[in-house]
Amino acid sequence: MFDFGDYTLRVVAAGSAILGITSGVLGSFAVLRKQSLLGDAISHAALPGVALAYLLTSSKSPLVLVLGAALAGWLGTLSVRSIVKRSRIKQDTALGLVMSVFFGVGLVLLTYIQRLPDASKAGLNTFLFGQAAAMLGRDVATMFVLGSLAVLAVVVFWKEFKLLSFDPAFAASMGFPVQLLEVLLTTLLVVAIAIGLQAVGVVLMSALVVAPAAAARQWTDRLGIMVILAAAFGAASGVTGAAVSSSVEHLPTGPTIVLVASVIVALSFAFAPGRGLVARTILQRRSNRRFRLEAEG
Amino acid sequence: MSQYQAEIILVGVIVAIACALPGVFLVLRRMALMSDAITHTVLLGIVIAFFVVEDLSSPLLIAGAAVVGLGTVWLVEAVHRTRLVAEDAAIGLTFPLLFSIAIILISRYAGDVHLDTDAVLLGEIALAPQRRFIVSGWDLGPQAAWMMGTILVVNLVFIRTFFKELKLTTFDPALAAALGFSPVVVHYALMGLVSVTAVGAFDAVGSILVVALMVGPPATGYLMTNDLRRMMMYSAGMATLAAISGYWVAHFLDVSIAGSMAGAVGLFFTVVLVFAPERGIVAVARRHTRQRWEFAQTMLTGHLLNHEGTPEETHESRVDHIEHVLGWAPAFRDGVISRAERDGLIVQVDRTLRLTPTGHTHAAKVLIPAAGGTRLEP
């Protein structure tokens, strides 16, 4: 049905898979720490970084743009943290404010760039909505290197991140540098998002952080299994989305990937053993019946 | 300033105030991110309504968008109610899905019409004066000003009429429910208002600026006052200021007006965050410093009072001894002593400190003598 012999599709599918894996892994921690929407803020906040990186270096090399995005995204999360810490503004307001203001500034820079006489500025727009179909071999190489580093860091700091996600107070009392670990984990999330922006765009990147992790959460109570499942769901959404959108005309890749990921979430919500809605309904029926039987004697 | 420019600014100001007013309640109810979700998903409502009526200027588009906006709120709550994920994850799952469906519909079926995603997300307020509102030959100004003006009036009337209900359900939903005001009804009415405002504004300034205007000015107002009415007035003022200054910055740099207005919102917020009286970062830091010195002076006088008239007095009152007792660095100690001298709390004779009568009263006021005359210090 899908022609994976096609070179472009292979590149796109590989890129989407890498993207799904990294955002699935890092997203698991974000979802568990109730920071699902941090991804949304980071991806919006990254825009001025992309524009500035281009303005300063006149380079469109994926590494430069991704670094710019990561830096701005990181600055955005830092702003959210310090606003919440230093004023009575709550997390949700700080997130909404930072993402929209950073994005606005990015828009200003972007329109400024578009007026420059230089012709090689095309392609920056793809950061808004993403253009997975335009992914090149070198983009995928960049994604692979940065994504692997991020996942590797999670493996190295596994114990620390686990503790941080479930009991930060205990982690602090054990003498772990909690603040530093939090910054590290956020930085990794920023990297995971930055590499995906070009493929699925600012608006939909946040979905790839939340959806695979939220789906994986339903199947298990163990962090290790959840992270692996989230990576698998992310990869499956990426590859399936890329393949479907390439075989149907006028079907943009980013939204298709999100659609696939949402289907996985819906299936997980419904059919996951134990927590799932079906399982819960059956359990409830059964206990109702037993209760009635016992009541009737 | 040409008439064209004046009209752009007029539209900008109306949009800014119309967004800021319901935004106040979003910020206070900790639902700021609902504005992000709604501004994205109303696109789906516009698309679906457009397929039905095939006319981009039909008021049905707004109705469709408002319905989908409410649908978003309901869906987020439904997902959250399954207790399978936290509320933030429920938002993060819901709106990208609806937004994706909208984008897919647009790119598959509406490729040729004006409904391009760029315009929706980024908006182009510079074009607002081009669409005129003409009644039997009379040019009454830009359509956007009339539409957003109507929405602004609706917002004002709603907030004025249900001010008590909004206030009560915002600050004490349990009490509101006990008194017979349904928080759910107020909640959905407010969300309907947010949806209608978002869709109206979004045509003019794009969805991202709508979020900036709904969240930014109220957040700024929240830093300036504890009074709900004042907060609304400050928010409206901030929104106006951001719209006007944002326009001129964009005009001189020749860049995106919506982006520049969002930037202005951020700038004003930052200024207030840093410099606000009482709650600003500078004010808080200064208060902390002042309290630190005051506390240290009190400690010093307390220590002196504690040993007054005891055999150890000469030893305990020596300047060189103080730093060991109170654990102060020499520089800090000298600062405290000179401040206490300046305030007339102590006098220094031959590197030994003695309380003045003022210092005596000061120390006695804060130093509550323990029962049985026990010393407060070892």
Side-chain angles (χ1 to χ4, degrees):
Chain A
M1 179 167 133
F2 304 117
D3 183 12
F4 278 104
D6 179 36
Y7 175 73
T8 322
L9 176 56
R10 272 210 316 264
V11 169
V12 174
S16 309
I18 294 169
L19 180 58
I21 292 171
T22 23
S23 57
V25 170
L26 272 315
S28 298
F29 291 98
V31 167
L32 285 176
R33 301 176 66 217
K34 301 206 193 314
Q35 294 187 333
S36 301
L37 292 170
L38 195 59
D40 196 26
I42 292 173
S43 54
H44 281 84
L47 187 63
V50 177
L52 263 186
Y54 174 76
L55 264 181
L56 294 179
T57 63
S58 317
S59 149
K60 277 202 307 172
S61 125
L63 189 62
V64 172
L65 296 189
V66 165
L67 280 182
L71 220 59
W74 193 73
L75 205 67
T77 60
L78 210 68
S79 315
V80 171
R81 278 174 65 112
S82 49
I83 289 175
V84 171
K85 207 174 134 203
R86 305 197 129 220
S87 75
R88 55 153 139 174
I89 302 282
K90 308 295 181 300
Q91 171 96 0
D92 63 316
T93 303
L95 282 173
L97 183 76
V98 166
M99 79 166 94
S100 57
V101 168
F102 270 58
F103 192 82
V105 172
L107 218 55
V108 165
L109 292 171
L110 221 54
T111 41
Y112 180 76
I113 289 172
Q114 273 159 1
R115 284 192 303 109
L116 297 180
D118 192 352
S120 71
K121 67 227 169 188
L124 285 174
N125 269 334
T126 59
F127 268 85
L128 282 186
F129 298 101
Q131 210 165 41
M135 242 190 288
L136 299 175
R138 59 172 192 168
D139 298 324
V140 176
T142 311
M143 290 164 78
F144 179 72
V145 172
L146 290 175
S148 312
L149 283 177
V151 173
L152 191 70
V154 170
V155 173
V156 171
F157 291 100
W158 179 257
K159 181 185 62 195
E160 284 82 358
F161 287 164
K162 189 174 182 177
L163 201 52
L164 188 67
S165 305
F166 291 106
D167 200 342
F170 180 60
S173 74
M174 295 274 288
F176 286 105
V178 170
Q179 293 242 331
L180 208 68
L181 286 171
E182 261 177 24
V183 171
L184 179 63
L185 191 53
T186 311
T187 310
L188 296 178
L189 181 63
V190 168
V191 171
I193 287 170
I195 60 174
L197 285 179
Q198 201 170 12
V200 299
V202 165
V203 186
L204 299 178
M205 191 55 221
S206 58
L208 276 189
V209 172
V210 185
R217 173 70 189 89
Q218 311 313 322
W219 298 89
T220 174
D221 283 334
R222 296 192 59 83
L223 180 65
I225 298 173
M226 174 179 167
V227 167
I228 291 170
L229 268 181
F233 287 158
S237 318
V239 174
T240 317
V244 170
S245 85
S246 79
S247 62
V248 180
E249 220 174 313
H250 293 306
L251 197 60
T253 315
T256 312
I257 294 177
V258 174
L259 223 53
V260 175
S262 302
V263 170
I264 296 179
V265 171
L267 291 177
S268 304
F269 276 22
F271 299 115
R275 279 170 70 96
L277 296 174
V278 172
R280 231 157 54 182
T281 315
I282 291 175
L283 188 74
Q284 208 165 14
R285 288 246 173 93
R286 222 177 262 160
S287 53
N288 276 356
R289 193 182 312 141
R290 190 178 310 145
F291 186 73
R292 252 199 322 271
L293 287 176
E294 281 170 12
E296 287 163 1
Chain B
M1 185 166 64
S2 69
Q3 192 202 341
Y4 195 84
Q5 286 177 326
E7 285 182 352
I8 294 178
I9 295 176
L10 177 72
V11 172
V13 169
I14 295 176
V15 168
I17 299 176
C19 287
L21 292 181
V24 165
F25 293 98
L26 287 180
V27 166
L28 289 175
R29 292 166 168 243
R30 304 191 184 186
M31 296 195 324
L33 288 169
M34 221 42 135
S35 72
D36 182 38
I38 289 179
T39 47
H40 283 103
T41 57
V42 286
L43 180 63
L44 182 61
I46 295 184
V47 174
I48 293 173
F50 174 72
F51 286 149
V52 175
V53 296
E54 304 208 324
D55 174 14
L56 264 178
S57 55
S58 160
L60 271 180
L61 261 53
I62 295 189
V67 169
V68 173
L70 285 179
T72 310
V73 177
W74 177 82
L75 199 59
V76 166
E77 278 162 10
V79 170
H80 184 212
R81 256 200 314 274
T82 62
R83 283 179 287 128
L84 295 175
V85 284
E87 186 172 17
D88 62 328
I91 297 180
L93 288 172
T94 307
F95 87 84
L97 172 64
L98 298 182
F99 187 76
S100 296
I101 295 173
I103 301 228
I104 289 174
L105 286 177
I106 291 176
S107 45
R108 279 191 69 75
Y109 305 109
D112 314 318
V113 279
H114 156 78
L115 258 184
D116 61 322
T117 38
D118 275 53
V120 166
L121 272 194
L122 313 179
E124 201 36 275
I125 193 173
L127 302 179
Q130 284 176 11
R131 279 192 283 159
R132 313 298 298 181
F133 185 52
I134 295 171
V135 177
S136 59
W138 289 79
D139 182 354
L140 296 176
Q143 266 182 19
W146 283 96
M147 188 171 74
M148 279 316 291
T150 313
I151 292 174
L152 173 60
V153 170
V154 170
N155 283 351
L156 276 173
V157 169
F158 178 84
I159 291 172
R160 265 201 87 87
T161 316
F162 297 105
F163 189 75
K164 185 181 58 197
E165 285 81 358
L166 280 167
K167 195 173 173 179
L168 197 56
T169 51
T170 300
F171 292 107
D172 197 341
L175 177 66
L179 291 176
F181 300 111
S182 164
V184 179
V185 171
V186 178
H187 173 67
Y188 274 94
L190 181 65
M191 287 302 154
L193 216 57
V194 170
S195 306
V196 171
T197 312
V199 63
F202 170 112
D203 190 37
V205 296
S207 62
I208 299 300
L209 181 57
V210 174
V211 177
L213 288 174
M214 280 193 179
V215 178
T220 315
Y222 188 46
L223 291 175
M224 294 161 70
T225 176
N226 278 332
D227 181 279
L228 180 56
R229 278 170 211 273
R230 285 228 179 102
M231 180 177 165
M232 297 182 67
M233 281 190 301
Y234 291 152
S235 305
M238 277 293 162
T240 310
L241 216 57
I244 296 174
S245 54
Y247 172 77
W248 287 112
V249 170
H251 175 73
F252 287 118
L253 296 179
D254 190 13
V255 291
S256 154
I257 299 175
S260 167
M261 285 178 178
V265 166
L267 185 68
F268 289 130
F269 173 80
T270 313
V271 170
V272 172
L273 178 70
V274 175
F275 297 108
E278 283 183 61
R279 261 187 286 275
I281 289 176
V282 171
V284 168
R286 287 179 61 158
R287 193 160 60 234
H288 279 174
T289 319
R290 203 187 61 228
Q291 284 169 342
R292 187 160 161 255
W293 288 116
E294 279 176 9
F295 181 69
Q297 289 184 31
T298 306
M299 291 285 287
L300 179 63
T301 52
H303 172 74
L304 293 175
L305 179 68
N306 227 3
H307 294 286
E308 209 168 49
T310 62
E312 316 88 66
E313 185 178 0
T314 31
H315 172 66
E316 292 286 346
S317 318
R318 289 187 52 78
V319 170
D320 308 308
H321 182 69
I322 297 286
E323 63 194 75
H324 299 301
V325 181
L326 297 173
W328 289 345
F332 184 70
R333 174 203 66 195
D334 294 340
V336 177
I337 289 177
S338 67
R339 269 155 217 268
E341 278 182 303
R342 197 192 58 205
D343 292 350
L345 298 174
I346 56 170
V347 285
Q348 187 177 167
V349 184
D350 204 15
R351 311 250 334 130
T352 302
L353 306 177
R354 180 154 309 151
L355 287 172
T356 63
T358 324
H360 218 273
T361 351
H362 179 79
K365 214 166 37 190
V366 284
L367 204 67
I368 302 154
T374 330
R375 292 269 151 74
L376 285 178
E377 287 179 54

